[in-house]
PDB file of all heavy atoms in Angstrom:
ATOM      1  N   ILE A  97       0.842  -1.187  -0.001  1.00  0.00           N
ATOM      2  CA  ILE A  97       0.001  -0.001   0.000  1.00  0.00           C
ATOM      3  C   ILE A  97       0.879   1.239   0.003  1.00  0.00           C
ATOM      4  O   ILE A  97       1.862   1.307   0.731  1.00  0.00           O
ATOM      5  CB  ILE A  97      -0.970  -0.001   1.203  1.00  0.00           C
ATOM      6  CG1 ILE A  97      -1.911   1.209   1.151  1.00  0.00           C
ATOM      7  CG2 ILE A  97      -0.211  -0.049   2.529  1.00  0.00           C
ATOM      8  CD1 ILE A  97      -3.058   1.115   2.150  1.00  0.00           C
ATOM      9  N   ASN A  98       0.524   2.204  -0.847  1.00  0.00           N
ATOM     10  CA  ASN A  98       1.156   3.507  -0.813  1.00  0.00           C
ATOM     11  C   ASN A  98       0.564   4.251   0.378  1.00  0.00           C
ATOM     12  O   ASN A  98      -0.644   4.512   0.410  1.00  0.00           O
ATOM     13  CB  ASN A  98       0.901   4.256  -2.123  1.00  0.00           C
ATOM     14  CG  ASN A  98       1.535   5.633  -2.160  1.00  0.00           C
ATOM     15  OD1 ASN A  98       1.170   6.518  -1.383  1.00  0.00           O
ATOM     16  ND2 ASN A  98       2.487   5.832  -3.065  1.00  0.00           N
ATOM     17  N   THR A  99       1.394   4.599   1.331  1.00  0.00           N
ATOM     18  CA  THR A  99       0.886   5.131   2.592  1.00  0.00           C
ATOM     19  C   THR A  99       0.415   6.572   2.505  1.00  0.00           C
ATOM     20  O   THR A  99      -0.235   7.051   3.430  1.00  0.00           O
ATOM     21  CB  THR A  99       1.948   5.004   3.687  1.00  0.00           C
ATOM     22  OG1 THR A  99       3.169   5.626   3.268  1.00  0.00           O
ATOM     23  CG2 THR A  99       2.204   3.537   3.992  1.00  0.00           C
ATOM     24  N   PHE A 100       0.716   7.261   1.416  1.00  0.00           N
ATOM     25  CA  PHE A 100       0.232   8.621   1.221  1.00  0.00           C
ATOM     26  C   PHE A 100      -1.080   8.650   0.457  1.00  0.00           C
ATOM     27  O   PHE A 100      -2.026   9.345   0.854  1.00  0.00           O
ATOM     28  CB  PHE A 100       1.284   9.465   0.496  1.00  0.00           C
ATOM     29  CG  PHE A 100       2.508   9.741   1.303  1.00  0.00           C
ATOM     30  CD1 PHE A 100       3.644   8.955   1.161  1.00  0.00           C
ATOM     31  CD2 PHE A 100       2.529  10.778   2.214  1.00  0.00           C
ATOM     32  CE1 PHE A 100       4.771   9.200   1.905  1.00  0.00           C
ATOM     33  CE2 PHE A 100       3.659  11.041   2.974  1.00  0.00           C
ATOM     34  CZ  PHE A 100       4.784  10.242   2.811  1.00  0.00           C
ATOM     35  N   ARG A 101      -1.155   7.927  -0.638  1.00  0.00           N
ATOM     36  CA  ARG A 101      -2.341   7.928  -1.491  1.00  0.00           C
ATOM     37  C   ARG A 101      -3.245   6.718  -1.283  1.00  0.00           C
ATOM     38  O   ARG A 101      -4.342   6.674  -1.834  1.00  0.00           O
ATOM     39  CB  ARG A 101      -1.935   8.020  -2.954  1.00  0.00           C
ATOM     40  CG  ARG A 101      -1.183   9.297  -3.296  1.00  0.00           C
ATOM     41  CD  ARG A 101      -0.859   9.368  -4.775  1.00  0.00           C
ATOM     42  NE  ARG A 101      -0.241  10.645  -5.129  1.00  0.00           N
ATOM     43  CZ  ARG A 101       1.064  10.876  -5.084  1.00  0.00           C
ATOM     44  NH1 ARG A 101       1.896   9.928  -4.703  1.00  0.00           N
ATOM     45  NH2 ARG A 101       1.543  12.064  -5.431  1.00  0.00           N
ATOM     46  N   GLU A 102      -2.792   5.737  -0.528  1.00  0.00           N
ATOM     47  CA  GLU A 102      -3.531   4.522  -0.218  1.00  0.00           C
ATOM     48  C   GLU A 102      -3.832   3.669  -1.457  1.00  0.00           C
ATOM     49  O   GLU A 102      -4.805   2.907  -1.464  1.00  0.00           O
ATOM     50  CB  GLU A 102      -4.816   4.847   0.551  1.00  0.00           C
ATOM     51  CG  GLU A 102      -4.545   5.469   1.915  1.00  0.00           C
ATOM     52  CD  GLU A 102      -5.780   5.631   2.769  1.00  0.00           C
ATOM     53  OE1 GLU A 102      -6.878   5.801   2.191  1.00  0.00           O
ATOM     54  OE2 GLU A 102      -5.664   5.589   4.002  1.00  0.00           O
ATOM     55  N   TYR A 103      -3.013   3.800  -2.494  1.00  0.00           N
ATOM     56  CA  TYR A 103      -3.096   2.867  -3.604  1.00  0.00           C
ATOM     57  C   TYR A 103      -2.693   1.492  -3.102  1.00  0.00           C
ATOM     58  O   TYR A 103      -1.774   1.366  -2.293  1.00  0.00           O
ATOM     59  CB  TYR A 103      -2.173   3.286  -4.740  1.00  0.00           C
ATOM     60  CG  TYR A 103      -2.491   4.605  -5.401  1.00  0.00           C
ATOM     61  CD1 TYR A 103      -1.515   5.315  -6.077  1.00  0.00           C
ATOM     62  CD2 TYR A 103      -3.770   5.145  -5.360  1.00  0.00           C
ATOM     63  CE1 TYR A 103      -1.789   6.520  -6.700  1.00  0.00           C
ATOM     64  CE2 TYR A 103      -4.060   6.352  -5.972  1.00  0.00           C
ATOM     65  CZ  TYR A 103      -3.070   7.038  -6.648  1.00  0.00           C
ATOM     66  OH  TYR A 103      -3.358   8.236  -7.258  1.00  0.00           O
ATOM     67  N   THR A 104      -3.355   0.468  -3.571  1.00  0.00           N
ATOM     68  CA  THR A 104      -3.079  -0.896  -3.124  1.00  0.00           C
ATOM     69  C   THR A 104      -2.683  -1.782  -4.287  1.00  0.00           C
ATOM     70  O   THR A 104      -3.122  -1.596  -5.424  1.00  0.00           O
ATOM     71  CB  THR A 104      -4.290  -1.489  -2.401  1.00  0.00           C
ATOM     72  OG1 THR A 104      -5.435  -1.456  -3.259  1.00  0.00           O
ATOM     73  CG2 THR A 104      -4.594  -0.711  -1.134  1.00  0.00           C
ATOM     74  N   TYR A 105      -1.875  -2.798  -3.983  1.00  0.00           N
ATOM     75  CA  TYR A 105      -1.338  -3.712  -4.981  1.00  0.00           C
ATOM     76  C   TYR A 105      -1.340  -5.116  -4.385  1.00  0.00           C
ATOM     77  O   TYR A 105      -1.048  -5.290  -3.204  1.00  0.00           O
ATOM     78  CB  TYR A 105       0.096  -3.322  -5.376  1.00  0.00           C
ATOM     79  CG  TYR A 105       0.265  -1.863  -5.711  1.00  0.00           C
ATOM     80  CD1 TYR A 105       0.510  -0.925  -4.722  1.00  0.00           C
ATOM     81  CD2 TYR A 105       0.178  -1.417  -7.029  1.00  0.00           C
ATOM     82  CE1 TYR A 105       0.660   0.427  -5.023  1.00  0.00           C
ATOM     83  CE2 TYR A 105       0.326  -0.072  -7.344  1.00  0.00           C
ATOM     84  CZ  TYR A 105       0.566   0.837  -6.339  1.00  0.00           C
ATOM     85  OH  TYR A 105       0.714   2.174  -6.653  1.00  0.00           O
ATOM     86  N   TYR A 106      -1.651  -6.125  -5.225  1.00  0.00           N
ATOM     87  CA  TYR A 106      -1.765  -7.491  -4.735  1.00  0.00           C
ATOM     88  C   TYR A 106      -1.099  -8.478  -5.680  1.00  0.00           C
ATOM     89  O   TYR A 106      -1.127  -8.320  -6.901  1.00  0.00           O
ATOM     90  CB  TYR A 106      -3.236  -7.894  -4.597  1.00  0.00           C
ATOM     91  CG  TYR A 106      -4.015  -7.060  -3.621  1.00  0.00           C
ATOM     92  CD1 TYR A 106      -4.727  -5.944  -4.045  1.00  0.00           C
ATOM     93  CD2 TYR A 106      -4.039  -7.394  -2.271  1.00  0.00           C
ATOM     94  CE1 TYR A 106      -5.436  -5.176  -3.142  1.00  0.00           C
ATOM     95  CE2 TYR A 106      -4.752  -6.628  -1.369  1.00  0.00           C
ATOM     96  CZ  TYR A 106      -5.451  -5.511  -1.811  1.00  0.00           C
ATOM     97  OH  TYR A 106      -6.159  -4.760  -0.910  1.00  0.00           O
ATOM     98  N   ALA A 107      -0.519  -9.507  -5.093  1.00  0.00           N
ATOM     99  CA  ALA A 107      -0.074 -10.636  -5.886  1.00  0.00           C
ATOM    100  C   ALA A 107      -1.292 -11.369  -6.438  1.00  0.00           C
ATOM    101  O   ALA A 107      -2.354 -11.405  -5.804  1.00  0.00           O
ATOM    102  CB  ALA A 107       0.777 -11.589  -5.034  1.00  0.00           C
ATOM    103  N   ASP A 108      -1.147 -11.957  -7.623  1.00  0.00           N
ATOM    104  CA  ASP A 108      -2.267 -12.646  -8.253  1.00  0.00           C
ATOM    105  C   ASP A 108      -2.839 -13.753  -7.368  1.00  0.00           C
ATOM    106  O   ASP A 108      -4.045 -14.000  -7.375  1.00  0.00           O
ATOM    107  CB  ASP A 108      -1.848 -13.229  -9.591  1.00  0.00           C
ATOM    108  CG  ASP A 108      -1.617 -12.169 -10.651  1.00  0.00           C
ATOM    109  OD1 ASP A 108      -2.089 -11.031 -10.482  1.00  0.00           O
ATOM    110  OD2 ASP A 108      -0.956 -12.480 -11.668  1.00  0.00           O
ATOM    111  N   SER A 109      -1.991 -14.395  -6.594  1.00  0.00           N
ATOM    112  CA  SER A 109      -2.422 -15.517  -5.782  1.00  0.00           C
ATOM    113  C   SER A 109      -3.364 -15.134  -4.646  1.00  0.00           C
ATOM    114  O   SER A 109      -4.059 -15.995  -4.101  1.00  0.00           O
ATOM    115  CB  SER A 109      -1.204 -16.256  -5.211  1.00  0.00           C
ATOM    116  OG  SER A 109      -0.427 -15.386  -4.416  1.00  0.00           O
ATOM    117  N   VAL A 110      -3.396 -13.849  -4.278  1.00  0.00           N
ATOM    118  CA  VAL A 110      -4.222 -13.415  -3.159  1.00  0.00           C
ATOM    119  C   VAL A 110      -5.186 -12.301  -3.537  1.00  0.00           C
ATOM    120  O   VAL A 110      -5.951 -11.839  -2.678  1.00  0.00           O
ATOM    121  CB  VAL A 110      -3.350 -12.947  -1.972  1.00  0.00           C
ATOM    122  CG1 VAL A 110      -2.342 -14.018  -1.596  1.00  0.00           C
ATOM    123  CG2 VAL A 110      -2.643 -11.629  -2.296  1.00  0.00           C
ATOM    124  N   LYS A 111      -5.200 -11.872  -4.788  1.00  0.00           N
ATOM    125  CA  LYS A 111      -5.889 -10.656  -5.213  1.00  0.00           C
ATOM    126  C   LYS A 111      -7.344 -10.598  -4.770  1.00  0.00           C
ATOM    127  O   LYS A 111      -7.816  -9.547  -4.314  1.00  0.00           O
ATOM    128  CB  LYS A 111      -5.792 -10.524  -6.730  1.00  0.00           C
ATOM    129  CG  LYS A 111      -6.446  -9.277  -7.297  1.00  0.00           C
ATOM    130  CD  LYS A 111      -6.307  -9.218  -8.807  1.00  0.00           C
ATOM    131  CE  LYS A 111      -7.032 -10.360  -9.472  1.00  0.00           C
ATOM    132  NZ  LYS A 111      -6.944 -10.288 -10.962  1.00  0.00           N
ATOM    133  N   ASP A 112      -8.089 -11.667  -4.905  1.00  0.00           N
ATOM    134  CA  ASP A 112      -9.514 -11.666  -4.609  1.00  0.00           C
ATOM    135  C   ASP A 112      -9.839 -12.150  -3.208  1.00  0.00           C
ATOM    136  O   ASP A 112     -11.016 -12.281  -2.852  1.00  0.00           O
ATOM    137  CB  ASP A 112     -10.268 -12.510  -5.634  1.00  0.00           C
ATOM    138  CG  ASP A 112     -10.164 -11.948  -7.041  1.00  0.00           C
ATOM    139  OD1 ASP A 112     -10.210 -10.718  -7.197  1.00  0.00           O
ATOM    140  OD2 ASP A 112     -10.037 -12.749  -7.992  1.00  0.00           O
ATOM    141  N   ARG A 113      -8.818 -12.405  -2.404  1.00  0.00           N
ATOM    142  CA  ARG A 113      -9.035 -12.950  -1.065  1.00  0.00           C
ATOM    143  C   ARG A 113      -8.496 -12.066   0.046  1.00  0.00           C
ATOM    144  O   ARG A 113      -9.047 -12.054   1.149  1.00  0.00           O
ATOM    145  CB  ARG A 113      -8.395 -14.336  -0.955  1.00  0.00           C
ATOM    146  CG  ARG A 113      -8.946 -15.343  -1.944  1.00  0.00           C
ATOM    147  CD  ARG A 113      -8.346 -16.724  -1.712  1.00  0.00           C
ATOM    148  NE  ARG A 113      -6.913 -16.738  -1.972  1.00  0.00           N
ATOM    149  CZ  ARG A 113      -5.988 -17.084  -1.074  1.00  0.00           C
ATOM    150  NH1 ARG A 113      -6.350 -17.449   0.158  1.00  0.00           N
ATOM    151  NH2 ARG A 113      -4.704 -17.079  -1.398  1.00  0.00           N
ATOM    152  N   PHE A 114      -7.412 -11.343  -0.207  1.00  0.00           N
ATOM    153  CA  PHE A 114      -6.753 -10.524   0.816  1.00  0.00           C
ATOM    154  C   PHE A 114      -7.023  -9.050   0.564  1.00  0.00           C
ATOM    155  O   PHE A 114      -7.175  -8.609  -0.578  1.00  0.00           O
ATOM    156  CB  PHE A 114      -5.240 -10.750   0.812  1.00  0.00           C
ATOM    157  CG  PHE A 114      -4.794 -12.122   1.260  1.00  0.00           C
ATOM    158  CD1 PHE A 114      -5.693 -13.148   1.472  1.00  0.00           C
ATOM    159  CD2 PHE A 114      -3.442 -12.363   1.471  1.00  0.00           C
ATOM    160  CE1 PHE A 114      -5.272 -14.401   1.878  1.00  0.00           C
ATOM    161  CE2 PHE A 114      -3.003 -13.607   1.877  1.00  0.00           C
ATOM    162  CZ  PHE A 114      -3.919 -14.633   2.080  1.00  0.00           C
ATOM    163  N   THR A 115      -7.045  -8.268   1.646  1.00  0.00           N
ATOM    164  CA  THR A 115      -7.211  -6.819   1.553  1.00  0.00           C
ATOM    165  C   THR A 115      -6.187  -6.133   2.447  1.00  0.00           C
ATOM    166  O   THR A 115      -6.132  -6.414   3.649  1.00  0.00           O
ATOM    167  CB  THR A 115      -8.625  -6.393   1.968  1.00  0.00           C
ATOM    168  OG1 THR A 115      -9.595  -7.053   1.142  1.00  0.00           O
ATOM    169  CG2 THR A 115      -8.781  -4.878   1.817  1.00  0.00           C
ATOM    170  N   ILE A 116      -5.399  -5.231   1.864  1.00  0.00           N
ATOM    171  CA  ILE A 116      -4.454  -4.449   2.639  1.00  0.00           C
ATOM    172  C   ILE A 116      -5.053  -3.067   2.876  1.00  0.00           C
ATOM    173  O   ILE A 116      -5.669  -2.484   1.984  1.00  0.00           O
ATOM    174  CB  ILE A 116      -3.075  -4.361   1.941  1.00  0.00           C
ATOM    175  CG1 ILE A 116      -2.039  -3.697   2.856  1.00  0.00           C
ATOM    176  CG2 ILE A 116      -3.170  -3.637   0.604  1.00  0.00           C
ATOM    177  CD1 ILE A 116      -0.609  -3.795   2.337  1.00  0.00           C
ATOM    178  N   SER A 117      -4.885  -2.550   4.078  1.00  0.00           N
ATOM    179  CA  SER A 117      -5.437  -1.249   4.430  1.00  0.00           C
ATOM    180  C   SER A 117      -4.555  -0.620   5.496  1.00  0.00           C
ATOM    181  O   SER A 117      -3.633  -1.251   6.019  1.00  0.00           O
ATOM    182  CB  SER A 117      -6.881  -1.373   4.919  1.00  0.00           C
ATOM    183  OG  SER A 117      -6.946  -2.165   6.094  1.00  0.00           O
ATOM    184  N   GLN A 118      -4.844   0.637   5.827  1.00  0.00           N
ATOM    185  CA  GLN A 118      -4.066   1.304   6.849  1.00  0.00           C
ATOM    186  C   GLN A 118      -4.936   2.202   7.702  1.00  0.00           C
ATOM    187  O   GLN A 118      -5.991   2.675   7.267  1.00  0.00           O
ATOM    188  CB  GLN A 118      -2.926   2.124   6.231  1.00  0.00           C
ATOM    189  CG  GLN A 118      -3.374   3.370   5.488  1.00  0.00           C
ATOM    190  CD  GLN A 118      -2.219   4.250   5.051  1.00  0.00           C
ATOM    191  OE1 GLN A 118      -1.048   3.916   5.273  1.00  0.00           O
ATOM    192  NE2 GLN A 118      -2.517   5.363   4.426  1.00  0.00           N
ATOM    193  N   ASP A 119      -4.477   2.448   8.915  1.00  0.00           N
ATOM    194  CA  ASP A 119      -5.020   3.459   9.801  1.00  0.00           C
ATOM    195  C   ASP A 119      -3.872   4.429  10.045  1.00  0.00           C
ATOM    196  O   ASP A 119      -3.004   4.174  10.884  1.00  0.00           O
ATOM    197  CB  ASP A 119      -5.524   2.842  11.102  1.00  0.00           C
ATOM    198  CG  ASP A 119      -6.187   3.853  12.007  1.00  0.00           C
ATOM    199  OD1 ASP A 119      -5.919   5.061  11.888  1.00  0.00           O
ATOM    200  OD2 ASP A 119      -7.000   3.435  12.862  1.00  0.00           O
ATOM    201  N   SER A 120      -3.844   5.513   9.290  1.00  0.00           N
ATOM    202  CA  SER A 120      -2.707   6.431   9.356  1.00  0.00           C
ATOM    203  C   SER A 120      -2.560   7.074  10.732  1.00  0.00           C
ATOM    204  O   SER A 120      -1.441   7.369  11.166  1.00  0.00           O
ATOM    205  CB  SER A 120      -2.842   7.514   8.271  1.00  0.00           C
ATOM    206  OG  SER A 120      -4.042   8.241   8.423  1.00  0.00           O
ATOM    207  N   ALA A 121      -3.668   7.306  11.427  1.00  0.00           N
ATOM    208  CA  ALA A 121      -3.602   7.894  12.753  1.00  0.00           C
ATOM    209  C   ALA A 121      -2.885   6.977  13.740  1.00  0.00           C
ATOM    210  O   ALA A 121      -2.268   7.451  14.700  1.00  0.00           O
ATOM    211  CB  ALA A 121      -5.001   8.226  13.261  1.00  0.00           C
ATOM    212  N   LYS A 122      -2.963   5.675  13.507  1.00  0.00           N
ATOM    213  CA  LYS A 122      -2.311   4.702  14.380  1.00  0.00           C
ATOM    214  C   LYS A 122      -0.984   4.205  13.823  1.00  0.00           C
ATOM    215  O   LYS A 122      -0.327   3.379  14.464  1.00  0.00           O
ATOM    216  CB  LYS A 122      -3.230   3.506  14.613  1.00  0.00           C
ATOM    217  CG  LYS A 122      -4.528   3.830  15.335  1.00  0.00           C
ATOM    218  CD  LYS A 122      -5.355   2.569  15.526  1.00  0.00           C
ATOM    219  CE  LYS A 122      -6.634   2.862  16.273  1.00  0.00           C
ATOM    220  NZ  LYS A 122      -7.463   1.634  16.445  1.00  0.00           N
ATOM    221  N   ASN A 123      -0.600   4.686  12.639  1.00  0.00           N
ATOM    222  CA  ASN A 123       0.596   4.208  11.959  1.00  0.00           C
ATOM    223  C   ASN A 123       0.597   2.681  11.860  1.00  0.00           C
ATOM    224  O   ASN A 123       1.603   2.023  12.108  1.00  0.00           O
ATOM    225  CB  ASN A 123       1.856   4.682  12.680  1.00  0.00           C
ATOM    226  CG  ASN A 123       2.091   6.170  12.529  1.00  0.00           C
ATOM    227  OD1 ASN A 123       1.853   6.736  11.467  1.00  0.00           O
ATOM    228  ND2 ASN A 123       2.583   6.803  13.585  1.00  0.00           N
ATOM    229  N   THR A 124      -0.550   2.150  11.466  1.00  0.00           N
ATOM    230  CA  THR A 124      -0.733   0.710  11.425  1.00  0.00           C
ATOM    231  C   THR A 124      -1.268   0.289  10.065  1.00  0.00           C
ATOM    232  O   THR A 124      -2.170   0.922   9.516  1.00  0.00           O
ATOM    233  CB  THR A 124      -1.686   0.243  12.528  1.00  0.00           C
ATOM    234  OG1 THR A 124      -1.141   0.593  13.805  1.00  0.00           O
ATOM    235  CG2 THR A 124      -1.885  -1.261  12.481  1.00  0.00           C
ATOM    236  N   VAL A 125      -0.711  -0.789   9.529  1.00  0.00           N
ATOM    237  CA  VAL A 125      -1.168  -1.394   8.284  1.00  0.00           C
ATOM    238  C   VAL A 125      -1.734  -2.767   8.603  1.00  0.00           C
ATOM    239  O   VAL A 125      -1.190  -3.492   9.444  1.00  0.00           O
ATOM    240  CB  VAL A 125      -0.033  -1.481   7.259  1.00  0.00           C
ATOM    241  CG1 VAL A 125      -0.445  -2.316   6.054  1.00  0.00           C
ATOM    242  CG2 VAL A 125       0.374  -0.091   6.810  1.00  0.00           C
ATOM    243  N   TYR A 126      -2.812  -3.129   7.919  1.00  0.00           N
ATOM    244  CA  TYR A 126      -3.489  -4.388   8.154  1.00  0.00           C
ATOM    245  C   TYR A 126      -3.487  -5.251   6.894  1.00  0.00           C
ATOM    246  O   TYR A 126      -3.431  -4.749   5.774  1.00  0.00           O
ATOM    247  CB  TYR A 126      -4.939  -4.158   8.586  1.00  0.00           C
ATOM    248  CG  TYR A 126      -5.085  -3.259   9.781  1.00  0.00           C
ATOM    249  CD1 TYR A 126      -5.337  -1.905   9.620  1.00  0.00           C
ATOM    250  CD2 TYR A 126      -4.969  -3.760  11.070  1.00  0.00           C
ATOM    251  CE1 TYR A 126      -5.473  -1.080  10.718  1.00  0.00           C
ATOM    252  CE2 TYR A 126      -5.108  -2.946  12.177  1.00  0.00           C
ATOM    253  CZ  TYR A 126      -5.362  -1.600  11.999  1.00  0.00           C
ATOM    254  OH  TYR A 126      -5.497  -0.780  13.090  1.00  0.00           O
ATOM    255  N   LEU A 127      -3.576  -6.538   7.100  1.00  0.00           N
ATOM    256  CA  LEU A 127      -3.794  -7.474   6.012  1.00  0.00           C
ATOM    257  C   LEU A 127      -4.921  -8.403   6.414  1.00  0.00           C
ATOM    258  O   LEU A 127      -4.744  -9.270   7.280  1.00  0.00           O
ATOM    259  CB  LEU A 127      -2.531  -8.276   5.693  1.00  0.00           C
ATOM    260  CG  LEU A 127      -2.644  -9.212   4.490  1.00  0.00           C
ATOM    261  CD1 LEU A 127      -2.775  -8.405   3.199  1.00  0.00           C
ATOM    262  CD2 LEU A 127      -1.457 -10.162   4.412  1.00  0.00           C
ATOM    263  N   LEU A 128      -6.097  -8.194   5.825  1.00  0.00           N
ATOM    264  CA  LEU A 128      -7.237  -9.053   6.070  1.00  0.00           C
ATOM    265  C   LEU A 128      -7.183 -10.207   5.088  1.00  0.00           C
ATOM    266  O   LEU A 128      -7.195  -9.999   3.879  1.00  0.00           O
ATOM    267  CB  LEU A 128      -8.540  -8.276   5.911  1.00  0.00           C
ATOM    268  CG  LEU A 128      -9.829  -9.087   6.055  1.00  0.00           C
ATOM    269  CD1 LEU A 128      -9.937  -9.707   7.432  1.00  0.00           C
ATOM    270  CD2 LEU A 128     -11.039  -8.215   5.751  1.00  0.00           C
ATOM    271  N   MET A 129      -7.124 -11.415   5.602  1.00  0.00           N
ATOM    272  CA  MET A 129      -6.987 -12.608   4.786  1.00  0.00           C
ATOM    273  C   MET A 129      -8.259 -13.427   4.908  1.00  0.00           C
ATOM    274  O   MET A 129      -8.576 -13.941   5.985  1.00  0.00           O
ATOM    275  CB  MET A 129      -5.773 -13.425   5.227  1.00  0.00           C
ATOM    276  CG  MET A 129      -4.467 -12.640   5.199  1.00  0.00           C
ATOM    277  SD  MET A 129      -3.035 -13.638   5.691  1.00  0.00           S
ATOM    278  CE  MET A 129      -3.434 -13.922   7.421  1.00  0.00           C
ATOM    279  N   ASN A 130      -8.996 -13.535   3.817  1.00  0.00           N
ATOM    280  CA  ASN A 130     -10.209 -14.329   3.755  1.00  0.00           C
ATOM    281  C   ASN A 130      -9.984 -15.566   2.896  1.00  0.00           C
ATOM    282  O   ASN A 130      -9.052 -15.625   2.099  1.00  0.00           O
ATOM    283  CB  ASN A 130     -11.366 -13.510   3.182  1.00  0.00           C
ATOM    284  CG  ASN A 130     -11.817 -12.393   4.085  1.00  0.00           C
ATOM    285  OD1 ASN A 130     -11.842 -12.543   5.303  1.00  0.00           O
ATOM    286  ND2 ASN A 130     -12.195 -11.266   3.496  1.00  0.00           N
ATOM    287  N   SER A 131     -10.869 -16.546   3.045  1.00  0.00           N
ATOM    288  CA  SER A 131     -10.808 -17.767   2.245  1.00  0.00           C
ATOM    289  C   SER A 131      -9.412 -18.378   2.253  1.00  0.00           C
ATOM    290  O   SER A 131      -8.852 -18.724   1.205  1.00  0.00           O
ATOM    291  CB  SER A 131     -11.269 -17.489   0.813  1.00  0.00           C
ATOM    292  OG  SER A 131     -12.582 -16.961   0.789  1.00  0.00           O
ATOM    293  N   LEU A 132      -8.853 -18.521   3.422  1.00  0.00           N
ATOM    294  CA  LEU A 132      -7.477 -18.996   3.546  1.00  0.00           C
ATOM    295  C   LEU A 132      -7.338 -20.431   3.049  1.00  0.00           C
ATOM    296  O   LEU A 132      -8.237 -21.258   3.213  1.00  0.00           O
ATOM    297  CB  LEU A 132      -7.013 -18.888   4.989  1.00  0.00           C
ATOM    298  CG  LEU A 132      -6.637 -17.469   5.422  1.00  0.00           C
ATOM    299  CD1 LEU A 132      -6.595 -17.362   6.932  1.00  0.00           C
ATOM    300  CD2 LEU A 132      -5.291 -17.086   4.818  1.00  0.00           C
ATOM    301  N   LYS A 133      -6.192 -20.702   2.452  1.00  0.00           N
ATOM    302  CA  LYS A 133      -5.853 -22.003   1.906  1.00  0.00           C
ATOM    303  C   LYS A 133      -4.601 -22.534   2.596  1.00  0.00           C
ATOM    304  O   LYS A 133      -3.792 -21.760   3.096  1.00  0.00           O
ATOM    305  CB  LYS A 133      -5.581 -21.897   0.397  1.00  0.00           C
ATOM    306  CG  LYS A 133      -6.709 -21.273  -0.410  1.00  0.00           C
ATOM    307  CD  LYS A 133      -6.283 -21.082  -1.857  1.00  0.00           C
ATOM    308  CE  LYS A 133      -7.386 -20.442  -2.679  1.00  0.00           C
ATOM    309  NZ  LYS A 133      -6.956 -20.234  -4.092  1.00  0.00           N
ATOM    310  N   PRO A 134      -4.408 -23.853   2.607  1.00  0.00           N
ATOM    311  CA  PRO A 134      -3.185 -24.396   3.205  1.00  0.00           C
ATOM    312  C   PRO A 134      -1.912 -23.804   2.614  1.00  0.00           C
ATOM    313  O   PRO A 134      -0.925 -23.633   3.346  1.00  0.00           O
ATOM    314  CB  PRO A 134      -3.298 -25.895   2.924  1.00  0.00           C
ATOM    315  CG  PRO A 134      -4.763 -26.146   2.881  1.00  0.00           C
ATOM    316  CD  PRO A 134      -5.347 -24.920   2.219  1.00  0.00           C
ATOM    317  N   GLU A 135      -1.910 -23.476   1.338  1.00  0.00           N
ATOM    318  CA  GLU A 135      -0.725 -22.901   0.719  1.00  0.00           C
ATOM    319  C   GLU A 135      -0.434 -21.472   1.182  1.00  0.00           C
ATOM    320  O   GLU A 135       0.609 -20.920   0.829  1.00  0.00           O
ATOM    321  CB  GLU A 135      -0.826 -22.942  -0.811  1.00  0.00           C
ATOM    322  CG  GLU A 135      -2.117 -22.375  -1.359  1.00  0.00           C
ATOM    323  CD  GLU A 135      -3.136 -23.456  -1.689  1.00  0.00           C
ATOM    324  OE1 GLU A 135      -3.318 -24.370  -0.863  1.00  0.00           O
ATOM    325  OE2 GLU A 135      -3.742 -23.400  -2.782  1.00  0.00           O
ATOM    326  N   ASP A 136      -1.343 -20.873   1.950  1.00  0.00           N
ATOM    327  CA  ASP A 136      -1.072 -19.578   2.554  1.00  0.00           C
ATOM    328  C   ASP A 136      -0.229 -19.697   3.822  1.00  0.00           C
ATOM    329  O   ASP A 136       0.200 -18.677   4.375  1.00  0.00           O
ATOM    330  CB  ASP A 136      -2.382 -18.854   2.899  1.00  0.00           C
ATOM    331  CG  ASP A 136      -3.194 -18.504   1.668  1.00  0.00           C
ATOM    332  OD1 ASP A 136      -2.608 -18.063   0.660  1.00  0.00           O
ATOM    333  OD2 ASP A 136      -4.434 -18.662   1.720  1.00  0.00           O
ATOM    334  N   THR A 137      -0.005 -20.907   4.292  1.00  0.00           N
ATOM    335  CA  THR A 137       0.791 -21.125   5.492  1.00  0.00           C
ATOM    336  C   THR A 137       2.205 -20.607   5.297  1.00  0.00           C
ATOM    337  O   THR A 137       2.902 -20.993   4.354  1.00  0.00           O
ATOM    338  CB  THR A 137       0.826 -22.615   5.850  1.00  0.00           C
ATOM    339  OG1 THR A 137      -0.500 -23.048   6.186  1.00  0.00           O
ATOM    340  CG2 THR A 137       1.746 -22.876   7.032  1.00  0.00           C
TER     341      THR A 137
END
């Protein structure tokens, strides 16, 4: 994630399952992982 403009980028393997986001006030970045697969280990 671009921390100024919040543009996001994903690898093809996770594009439709993971979401990257940020809370700039907390200086924290998150990765929400849905539909997890064993290969995500």
